[in-house]
Amino acid sequence: MEQRRGENRPESWGVSHGIAGTLLGEMALCAKKRPPEEERRARANDREYNERFQYASNCIKTSKYNILTFLPVNLFEQFQEVANTYFLFLLILQLIPQISSLSWFTTIVPLVLVLTITAVKDATDDYFRHKSDNQVNNRQSQVLINGILQQEQWMNVCVGDIIKLENNQFVAADLLLLSSSEPHGLCYIETAELDGETNMKVRQAIPVTSELGDISKLAKFDGEVICEPPNNKLDKFSGTLYWKENKFPLSNQNMLLRGCVLRNTEWCFGLVIFAGPDTKLMQNSGRTKFKRTSIDRLMNTLVLWIFGFLVCMGVILAIGNAIWEHEVGTRFQVYLPWDEAVDSAFFSGFLSFWSYIIILNTVVPISLYVSVEVIRLGHSYFINWDKKMFCMKKRTPAEARTTTLNEELGQVEYIFSDKTGTLTQNIMVFNKCSINGRSYGDVFDVLGHKAELGERPEPVNFSFNPLADKKFLFWDPTLLEAVKMGDPHTHEFFRLLSLCHTVMSEEKNEGELYYKAQSPDEGALVTAARNFGFVFRSRTPKTITVHEMGTAITYQLLAILDFNNIRKRMSVIVRNPEGKIRLYCKGADTILLDRLHHSTQELLNTTTDHLNEYAGEGLRTLVLAYKDLDEEYYEEWAERRLQASLAQDSREDRLASVYEEVESDMLLLGATAIEDKLQQGVPETIALLTLANIKIWVLTGDKQETAVNIGYSCKMLTDDMTEVFIVTGHTVLEVREELRKAREKMMDSSRTVGNGFTYQEKLSSSKLTSVLEAVAGEYALVINGHSLAHALEADMELEFLETACACKAVICCRVTPLQKAQVVELVKKYKKAVTLAIGDGANDVSMIKTAHIGVGISGQEGIQAVLASDYSFSQFKFLQRLLLVHGRWSYLRMCKFLCYFFYKNFAFTMVHFWFGFFCGFSAQTVYDQYFITLYNIVYTSLPVLAMGVFDQDVPEQRSMEYPKLYEPGQLNLLFNKREFFICIAQGIYTSVLMFFIPYGAFAEATRDDGTQLADYQSFAVTVATSLVIVVSVQIGLDTGYWTAINHFFIWGSLAVYFAILFAMHSNGLFDMFPNQFRFVGNAQNTLAQPTVWLTIVLTTVVCIMPVVAFRFLRLNLKPDLSDTVRYTQLVRKKQKAQHRCMRRVGRTGSRRSGYAFSHQEGFGELIMSGKNMRLSSLALSGFTTRSSSSWIESLRRKKSDSASSPSGGADKPLKG
């Protein structure tokens, strides 16, 4: 049998087996990493043979640690972070007695705290991964071993095993379906875990194995499968079954993938092809690319700068120490000797350098990174808890699926959106049709005028049809009359709709039909045929039963020529009861109209007019055609199709060629028009985001007319626009010329800026992009997929980007998923702007993953987009709240947090620097070590966290009402290098006063009893108390939105400071730890002196008053827009002004629209194998008249002028 079967195998059979045998020894030695497979071979019921290839077992492992490896591996991972390594280095320095001026616990306590918190989080996550792995691996499965069905755990299932599945069981591995309890080897599965779709799908065994229903036959089955190696393509499988000296082609429709659930099928048997990590489910579970925000990248740069500043301070103080020891210290050797290891002033300076590195390291405390993550987590919960982003209809809340990108939501400049299901509802309604040159669907009044929806009479009555869908509505009674009168063209039209599809029908009760369609388009068309008397009732792999006007007719299904994204059409070939063979085809007009017989030219012209009319109304269109085939031609064609399906290589191309041949010279029947309504609130959302200076690009697979019409419907395109450029060139030269003309028109219409100066004179030194983006007037760009393919080529992408970025709106039509990602990548590559991609389907996943921020809409196309996204919700209108409220607040809070954090730590740390000049550069600290340890962990941590989590400048209503408030985030105004240096300067200023005011005051001060006040510990208490009070008052000034939590944390932290201070200087602690707490009663004695409190008050006033004065002057002389909004709000409260009316801008223009076929490939082969928020007037009025916003405009112009042009900045790093 072995030899006989080998006769039909490819020549590489023996060669590859020889190679496999040669490599067996090496593979046994290095089994940790198997060489990549070129093909998979699996023989049924032969474990010994299959084990030779060392295929992966069915045990899955998603966990990272075990009990023994957790500690070392987790610590190793954590110390991959530069910050953790930096603090570990400091800890090691502090353990060296010669240079340590601080106790080791000042660093180890916060470091261990951070490491522990992270380790607990990682351990918890891994525990749940272990739990999930064990649950999956220990599931039971029935495996055929030695002719007997035995219960085995999933982890013990091997490649080549035959396993039995029962109804509602999960599929254990990727299986080749051999047989099932259903006729013709059919079985039904649910693939929600794979692609998020809950509708059932059908799979079918190949005919030769579908009869292997009993155990004895399956035990003797020794067929061998040669197929593609493991990969992550869920919708494709190519292989061949060799059995009984024959070979049988295998496709994805014969496969049951791990993660599916068997439904409505009593049992089935399958052959394991891929197991464990080789299954397509596990192959698709790779890690998503980690995204970082622009603030993260800036922080990393700033931390390096601070470290450089720290080294400079260390060098200055070390040089000072060496000079002081050489000039002064040598005179005190008798009672202040050097340490034993120190033999020179130079070496003393060297040790002093490391000591000061330890002391001054708090300029970048480890608590910074922990606090940032806590704040981001809080912001994520606010998004999850937002009831205004909760969809009651679907019971779906908004979800922040990542915690690292929240502040970047406040910096978005470009939004890339899908159309179908994102801007529209993806719920299809059969609206109009054209049959034999006559259009149906419009209703006319007695005067012959088209009636609007609200003026229409009752819908068509389908009571004649007991099988009609009661939810279906149609308004034109003339179409039903044509059907009842027996018009042959109308009957053929609906016959095509009832036959040419891949819908599955389920009849739970007599007359209660439920259609399960893979796309909403198909469901709408079959339902329309059903209501008009052509009811698709049931199907088998070889037949389709239709009730035509009450009469059951069964058609023999000869072939299904399946849909795919290249063909953009599908066909069926059927034989009617009279024996006549006919091909029915439906597809995109751009494809089908070229395949019609020349005799239909007159009808074609009329139908094309109807298509344009439907497109102008925003309807999705399909063209229907048919062709009669004679028996002899069909038999010859069917043989060629069979040979193409058995081809080992280029199978799909050969089939496409065969299909192309038969789908020619067809006769036109008519066209359908389906309505896909806009989602609620889309026009208002787009208008609001546009006012926030966010550019919206629509990337869709729909035809140009459809996309343009939707653009007008949702107010992306308006009739007030200067011009809408449409690029439709088929060659590189045509596309380049069209883009050039568009740029020239934009430049010509805005040639003169004013005072006689042209753009070239005024902006002679600026880049072209800056000029284009400053042109007057509003423009839009519409580009087709074939033109976009040329525009994205390396030598033209910059021209395309320059033109597109100068337009207010961009619509890309007929684009592939890859092109969507390429467009997003192009903007990311050349523009210093944050991008956001939003979509709802699997075709949007690449775009969502490419953009800085990905948003998934849980809609009608499953949850693939949601699973790949960073944020998700159910309706497009929630995007305005996500960006203008949550995004803007997150950015504001994070910026204020960082500014304050760097300020308070420089104010705290730089006091040591000034003190060094007065202590002989001896690395003596100003504060005691407990204050240094607790300053960032206890005394100042909670107030800044409260500000970072809860602060807001204006209420959420004002954020939506004044979208211009969003622009500071786009311009990165609130935290940048300039703001950082201002914070540092303020911190250094505060540290100077914090040290020198108490130093000067203590120089001549005395206590109440006349003794000298100036001693080291009293000075330390005074400076520390001044510092805590100053930074607490400062955060009070920085807080714009006070809550009970802010009050509690700020004043509570002050209270905790004094409680700990008095406790550390108490008798109780001294009695317990006399070596650690030596200064008994010092705090009480120091703070009892009026001089000390006068010093503290003076220090606080001098530190804070310049800040108050500066902010007062800025508020009065140059307020920003948020200041103006807050003032307006106060005036409104006082005057109780009447709320301004809200209005909606109506659309008067008209454009075209058209077809999109939301369909997937494979169903045909399977079956044949046998198988408002409205805008307030304030929001719409614009803000150009407000002086407070003019500074934003000027900054934006500066940014545009200085931004690197695409034509010259390709090699420059970009801000994310």
Side-chain angles (χ1 to χ4, degrees), residues 337-358:
W338 288 341
D339 292 335
E340 293 182 5
V342 179
D343 55 2
S344 67
F346 175 79
F347 190 66
S348 174
F350 174 76
L351 295 179
S352 179
F353 168 79
W354 294 109
S355 298
Y356 272 111
I357 292 294
I358 294 171

PDB file of all heavy atoms in Angstrom, residues 337-358:
ATOM      1  N   PRO A 337      40.394  63.400  60.040  1.00  0.00           N
ATOM      2  CA  PRO A 337      41.268  62.695  59.092  1.00  0.00           C
ATOM      3  C   PRO A 337      40.470  62.113  57.921  1.00  0.00           C
ATOM      4  O   PRO A 337      39.276  61.872  58.013  1.00  0.00           O
ATOM      5  CB  PRO A 337      41.876  61.579  59.949  1.00  0.00           C
ATOM      6  CG  PRO A 337      40.842  61.312  60.994  1.00  0.00           C
ATOM      7  CD  PRO A 337      40.202  62.642  61.294  1.00  0.00           C
ATOM      8  N   TRP A 338      41.209  61.882  56.831  1.00  0.00           N
ATOM      9  CA  TRP A 338      40.613  61.190  55.696  1.00  0.00           C
ATOM     10  C   TRP A 338      40.396  59.720  56.041  1.00  0.00           C
ATOM     11  O   TRP A 338      41.038  59.173  56.927  1.00  0.00           O
ATOM     12  CB  TRP A 338      41.539  61.274  54.467  1.00  0.00           C
ATOM     13  CG  TRP A 338      41.600  62.646  53.850  1.00  0.00           C
ATOM     14  CD1 TRP A 338      40.715  63.648  54.006  1.00  0.00           C
ATOM     15  CD2 TRP A 338      42.625  63.132  52.974  1.00  0.00           C
ATOM     16  NE1 TRP A 338      41.079  64.751  53.293  1.00  0.00           N
ATOM     17  CE2 TRP A 338      42.271  64.465  52.627  1.00  0.00           C
ATOM     18  CE3 TRP A 338      43.800  62.599  52.432  1.00  0.00           C
ATOM     19  CZ2 TRP A 338      43.029  65.251  51.784  1.00  0.00           C
ATOM     20  CZ3 TRP A 338      44.550  63.374  51.589  1.00  0.00           C
ATOM     21  CH2 TRP A 338      44.174  64.685  51.266  1.00  0.00           C
ATOM     22  N   ASP A 339      39.479  59.091  55.269  1.00  0.00           N
ATOM     23  CA  ASP A 339      39.296  57.649  55.451  1.00  0.00           C
ATOM     24  C   ASP A 339      40.571  56.924  55.039  1.00  0.00           C
ATOM     25  O   ASP A 339      41.398  57.456  54.296  1.00  0.00           O
ATOM     26  CB  ASP A 339      38.124  57.148  54.592  1.00  0.00           C
ATOM     27  CG  ASP A 339      36.793  57.693  55.104  1.00  0.00           C
ATOM     28  OD1 ASP A 339      36.711  58.018  56.303  1.00  0.00           O
ATOM     29  OD2 ASP A 339      35.842  57.800  54.288  1.00  0.00           O
ATOM     30  N   GLU A 340      40.692  55.688  55.508  1.00  0.00           N
ATOM     31  CA  GLU A 340      41.907  54.926  55.245  1.00  0.00           C
ATOM     32  C   GLU A 340      42.182  54.774  53.753  1.00  0.00           C
ATOM     33  O   GLU A 340      43.321  54.814  53.307  1.00  0.00           O
ATOM     34  CB  GLU A 340      41.793  53.533  55.890  1.00  0.00           C
ATOM     35  CG  GLU A 340      41.782  53.579  57.409  1.00  0.00           C
ATOM     36  CD  GLU A 340      41.707  52.177  58.003  1.00  0.00           C
ATOM     37  OE1 GLU A 340      41.769  51.204  57.212  1.00  0.00           O
ATOM     38  OE2 GLU A 340      41.589  52.062  59.222  1.00  0.00           O
ATOM     39  N   ALA A 341      41.105  54.561  52.968  1.00  0.00           N
ATOM     40  CA  ALA A 341      41.300  54.336  51.525  1.00  0.00           C
ATOM     41  C   ALA A 341      41.639  55.616  50.779  1.00  0.00           C
ATOM     42  O   ALA A 341      42.112  55.574  49.642  1.00  0.00           O
ATOM     43  CB  ALA A 341      40.040  53.708  50.930  1.00  0.00           C
ATOM     44  N   VAL A 342      41.409  56.781  51.389  1.00  0.00           N
ATOM     45  CA  VAL A 342      41.634  58.058  50.710  1.00  0.00           C
ATOM     46  C   VAL A 342      43.078  58.495  50.945  1.00  0.00           C
ATOM     47  O   VAL A 342      43.492  58.679  52.093  1.00  0.00           O
ATOM     48  CB  VAL A 342      40.657  59.131  51.216  1.00  0.00           C
ATOM     49  CG1 VAL A 342      40.923  60.448  50.514  1.00  0.00           C
ATOM     50  CG2 VAL A 342      39.219  58.681  51.003  1.00  0.00           C
ATOM     51  N   ASP A 343      43.810  58.660  49.859  1.00  0.00           N
ATOM     52  CA  ASP A 343      45.205  59.046  50.015  1.00  0.00           C
ATOM     53  C   ASP A 343      45.522  60.378  49.357  1.00  0.00           C
ATOM     54  O   ASP A 343      46.659  60.835  49.377  1.00  0.00           O
ATOM     55  CB  ASP A 343      46.125  57.958  49.434  1.00  0.00           C
ATOM     56  CG  ASP A 343      45.785  57.651  47.978  1.00  0.00           C
ATOM     57  OD1 ASP A 343      44.881  58.311  47.427  1.00  0.00           O
ATOM     58  OD2 ASP A 343      46.417  56.739  47.401  1.00  0.00           O
ATOM     59  N   SER A 344      44.508  61.003  48.744  1.00  0.00           N
ATOM     60  CA  SER A 344      44.763  62.299  48.105  1.00  0.00           C
ATOM     61  C   SER A 344      43.462  63.061  47.987  1.00  0.00           C
ATOM     62  O   SER A 344      42.369  62.500  48.072  1.00  0.00           O
ATOM     63  CB  SER A 344      45.388  62.095  46.721  1.00  0.00           C
ATOM     64  OG  SER A 344      44.443  61.494  45.848  1.00  0.00           O
ATOM     65  N   ALA A 345      43.609  64.366  47.759  1.00  0.00           N
ATOM     66  CA  ALA A 345      42.425  65.203  47.584  1.00  0.00           C
ATOM     67  C   ALA A 345      41.692  64.812  46.305  1.00  0.00           C
ATOM     68  O   ALA A 345      40.456  64.862  46.243  1.00  0.00           O
ATOM     69  CB  ALA A 345      42.838  66.677  47.521  1.00  0.00           C
ATOM     70  N   PHE A 346      42.443  64.400  45.275  1.00  0.00           N
ATOM     71  CA  PHE A 346      41.810  63.992  44.020  1.00  0.00           C
ATOM     72  C   PHE A 346      40.913  62.772  44.229  1.00  0.00           C
ATOM     73  O   PHE A 346      39.774  62.727  43.753  1.00  0.00           O
ATOM     74  CB  PHE A 346      42.888  63.674  42.979  1.00  0.00           C
ATOM     75  CG  PHE A 346      42.331  63.119  41.693  1.00  0.00           C
ATOM     76  CD1 PHE A 346      41.772  63.968  40.746  1.00  0.00           C
ATOM     77  CD2 PHE A 346      42.344  61.747  41.440  1.00  0.00           C
ATOM     78  CE1 PHE A 346      41.243  63.464  39.566  1.00  0.00           C
ATOM     79  CE2 PHE A 346      41.811  61.242  40.276  1.00  0.00           C
ATOM     80  CZ  PHE A 346      41.273  62.105  39.326  1.00  0.00           C
ATOM     81  N   PHE A 347      41.432  61.770  44.964  1.00  0.00           N
ATOM     82  CA  PHE A 347      40.637  60.564  45.207  1.00  0.00           C
ATOM     83  C   PHE A 347      39.436  60.879  46.089  1.00  0.00           C
ATOM     84  O   PHE A 347      38.351  60.311  45.924  1.00  0.00           O
ATOM     85  CB  PHE A 347      41.501  59.479  45.858  1.00  0.00           C
ATOM     86  CG  PHE A 347      40.825  58.135  45.909  1.00  0.00           C
ATOM     87  CD1 PHE A 347      40.543  57.439  44.740  1.00  0.00           C
ATOM     88  CD2 PHE A 347      40.458  57.563  47.121  1.00  0.00           C
ATOM     89  CE1 PHE A 347      39.922  56.209  44.780  1.00  0.00           C
ATOM     90  CE2 PHE A 347      39.830  56.333  47.159  1.00  0.00           C
ATOM     91  CZ  PHE A 347      39.566  55.647  45.986  1.00  0.00           C
ATOM     92  N   SER A 348      39.610  61.818  47.001  1.00  0.00           N
ATOM     93  CA  SER A 348      38.479  62.256  47.833  1.00  0.00           C
ATOM     94  C   SER A 348      37.393  62.875  46.956  1.00  0.00           C
ATOM     95  O   SER A 348      36.197  62.642  47.153  1.00  0.00           O
ATOM     96  CB  SER A 348      38.956  63.278  48.864  1.00  0.00           C
ATOM     97  OG  SER A 348      37.857  63.817  49.576  1.00  0.00           O
ATOM     98  N   GLY A 349      37.815  63.671  45.947  1.00  0.00           N
ATOM     99  CA  GLY A 349      36.851  64.254  45.022  1.00  0.00           C
ATOM    100  C   GLY A 349      36.154  63.189  44.195  1.00  0.00           C
ATOM    101  O   GLY A 349      34.944  63.285  43.926  1.00  0.00           O
ATOM    102  N   PHE A 350      36.906  62.140  43.801  1.00  0.00           N
ATOM    103  CA  PHE A 350      36.320  61.047  43.037  1.00  0.00           C
ATOM    104  C   PHE A 350      35.227  60.344  43.837  1.00  0.00           C
ATOM    105  O   PHE A 350      34.121  60.098  43.335  1.00  0.00           O
ATOM    106  CB  PHE A 350      37.420  60.052  42.643  1.00  0.00           C
ATOM    107  CG  PHE A 350      36.896  58.808  41.971  1.00  0.00           C
ATOM    108  CD1 PHE A 350      36.482  58.843  40.644  1.00  0.00           C
ATOM    109  CD2 PHE A 350      36.819  57.614  42.672  1.00  0.00           C
ATOM    110  CE1 PHE A 350      35.998  57.708  40.032  1.00  0.00           C
ATOM    111  CE2 PHE A 350      36.336  56.477  42.063  1.00  0.00           C
ATOM    112  CZ  PHE A 350      35.927  56.516  40.731  1.00  0.00           C
ATOM    113  N   LEU A 351      35.512  60.051  45.112  1.00  0.00           N
ATOM    114  CA  LEU A 351      34.502  59.423  45.961  1.00  0.00           C
ATOM    115  C   LEU A 351      33.333  60.357  46.207  1.00  0.00           C
ATOM    116  O   LEU A 351      32.171  59.935  46.268  1.00  0.00           O
ATOM    117  CB  LEU A 351      35.123  59.004  47.299  1.00  0.00           C
ATOM    118  CG  LEU A 351      36.205  57.915  47.228  1.00  0.00           C
ATOM    119  CD1 LEU A 351      36.740  57.617  48.626  1.00  0.00           C
ATOM    120  CD2 LEU A 351      35.644  56.633  46.606  1.00  0.00           C
ATOM    121  N   SER A 352      33.622  61.636  46.319  1.00  0.00           N
ATOM    122  CA  SER A 352      32.559  62.624  46.543  1.00  0.00           C
ATOM    123  C   SER A 352      31.612  62.687  45.350  1.00  0.00           C
ATOM    124  O   SER A 352      30.395  62.885  45.523  1.00  0.00           O
ATOM    125  CB  SER A 352      33.179  63.996  46.792  1.00  0.00           C
ATOM    126  OG  SER A 352      32.178  64.969  46.990  1.00  0.00           O
ATOM    127  N   PHE A 353      32.157  62.489  44.139  1.00  0.00           N
ATOM    128  CA  PHE A 353      31.305  62.488  42.948  1.00  0.00           C
ATOM    129  C   PHE A 353      30.217  61.425  43.064  1.00  0.00           C
ATOM    130  O   PHE A 353      29.027  61.688  42.849  1.00  0.00           O
ATOM    131  CB  PHE A 353      32.169  62.236  41.699  1.00  0.00           C
ATOM    132  CG  PHE A 353      31.373  61.941  40.455  1.00  0.00           C
ATOM    133  CD1 PHE A 353      30.773  62.964  39.739  1.00  0.00           C
ATOM    134  CD2 PHE A 353      31.202  60.623  40.005  1.00  0.00           C
ATOM    135  CE1 PHE A 353      30.035  62.696  38.594  1.00  0.00           C
ATOM    136  CE2 PHE A 353      30.469  60.355  38.880  1.00  0.00           C
ATOM    137  CZ  PHE A 353      29.884  61.397  38.157  1.00  0.00           C
ATOM    138  N   TRP A 354      30.609  60.202  43.430  1.00  0.00           N
ATOM    139  CA  TRP A 354      29.626  59.119  43.542  1.00  0.00           C
ATOM    140  C   TRP A 354      28.666  59.364  44.705  1.00  0.00           C
ATOM    141  O   TRP A 354      27.480  59.035  44.617  1.00  0.00           O
ATOM    142  CB  TRP A 354      30.337  57.780  43.698  1.00  0.00           C
ATOM    143  CG  TRP A 354      31.114  57.405  42.470  1.00  0.00           C
ATOM    144  CD1 TRP A 354      32.473  57.383  42.330  1.00  0.00           C
ATOM    145  CD2 TRP A 354      30.569  57.049  41.195  1.00  0.00           C
ATOM    146  NE1 TRP A 354      32.817  57.028  41.054  1.00  0.00           N
ATOM    147  CE2 TRP A 354      31.664  56.804  40.323  1.00  0.00           C
ATOM    148  CE3 TRP A 354      29.280  56.905  40.700  1.00  0.00           C
ATOM    149  CZ2 TRP A 354      31.496  56.423  39.003  1.00  0.00           C
ATOM    150  CZ3 TRP A 354      29.109  56.526  39.385  1.00  0.00           C
ATOM    151  CH2 TRP A 354      30.205  56.289  38.545  1.00  0.00           C
ATOM    152  N   SER A 355      29.165  59.957  45.752  1.00  0.00           N
ATOM    153  CA  SER A 355      28.282  60.272  46.879  1.00  0.00           C
ATOM    154  C   SER A 355      27.206  61.260  46.466  1.00  0.00           C
ATOM    155  O   SER A 355      26.027  61.112  46.837  1.00  0.00           O
ATOM    156  CB  SER A 355      29.104  60.854  48.036  1.00  0.00           C
ATOM    157  OG  SER A 355      30.053  59.926  48.506  1.00  0.00           O
ATOM    158  N   TYR A 356      27.578  62.259  45.702  1.00  0.00           N
ATOM    159  CA  TYR A 356      26.590  63.248  45.266  1.00  0.00           C
ATOM    160  C   TYR A 356      25.637  62.681  44.206  1.00  0.00           C
ATOM    161  O   TYR A 356      24.474  63.103  44.118  1.00  0.00           O
ATOM    162  CB  TYR A 356      27.280  64.510  44.750  1.00  0.00           C
ATOM    163  CG  TYR A 356      27.562  65.493  45.861  1.00  0.00           C
ATOM    164  CD1 TYR A 356      28.865  65.758  46.273  1.00  0.00           C
ATOM    165  CD2 TYR A 356      26.515  66.122  46.524  1.00  0.00           C
ATOM    166  CE1 TYR A 356      29.115  66.655  47.303  1.00  0.00           C
ATOM    167  CE2 TYR A 356      26.753  67.017  47.545  1.00  0.00           C
ATOM    168  CZ  TYR A 356      28.057  67.274  47.938  1.00  0.00           C
ATOM    169  OH  TYR A 356      28.280  68.150  48.972  1.00  0.00           O
ATOM    170  N   ILE A 357      26.123  61.736  43.406  1.00  0.00           N
ATOM    171  CA  ILE A 357      25.210  61.059  42.465  1.00  0.00           C
ATOM    172  C   ILE A 357      24.093  60.374  43.248  1.00  0.00           C
ATOM    173  O   ILE A 357      22.913  60.402  42.870  1.00  0.00           O
ATOM    174  CB  ILE A 357      25.973  60.036  41.597  1.00  0.00           C
ATOM    175  CG1 ILE A 357      26.925  60.742  40.627  1.00  0.00           C
ATOM    176  CG2 ILE A 357      24.994  59.135  40.832  1.00  0.00           C
ATOM    177  CD1 ILE A 357      26.232  61.572  39.571  1.00  0.00           C
ATOM    178  N   ILE A 358      24.471  59.764  44.385  1.00  0.00           N
ATOM    179  CA  ILE A 358      23.473  59.104  45.231  1.00  0.00           C
ATOM    180  C   ILE A 358      22.497  60.122  45.818  1.00  0.00           C
ATOM    181  O   ILE A 358      21.276  59.930  45.791  1.00  0.00           O
ATOM    182  CB  ILE A 358      24.167  58.317  46.366  1.00  0.00           C
ATOM    183  CG1 ILE A 358      24.987  57.158  45.778  1.00  0.00           C
ATOM    184  CG2 ILE A 358      23.148  57.809  47.372  1.00  0.00           C
ATOM    185  CD1 ILE A 358      25.860  56.471  46.787  1.00  0.00           C
TER     186      ILE A 358
END
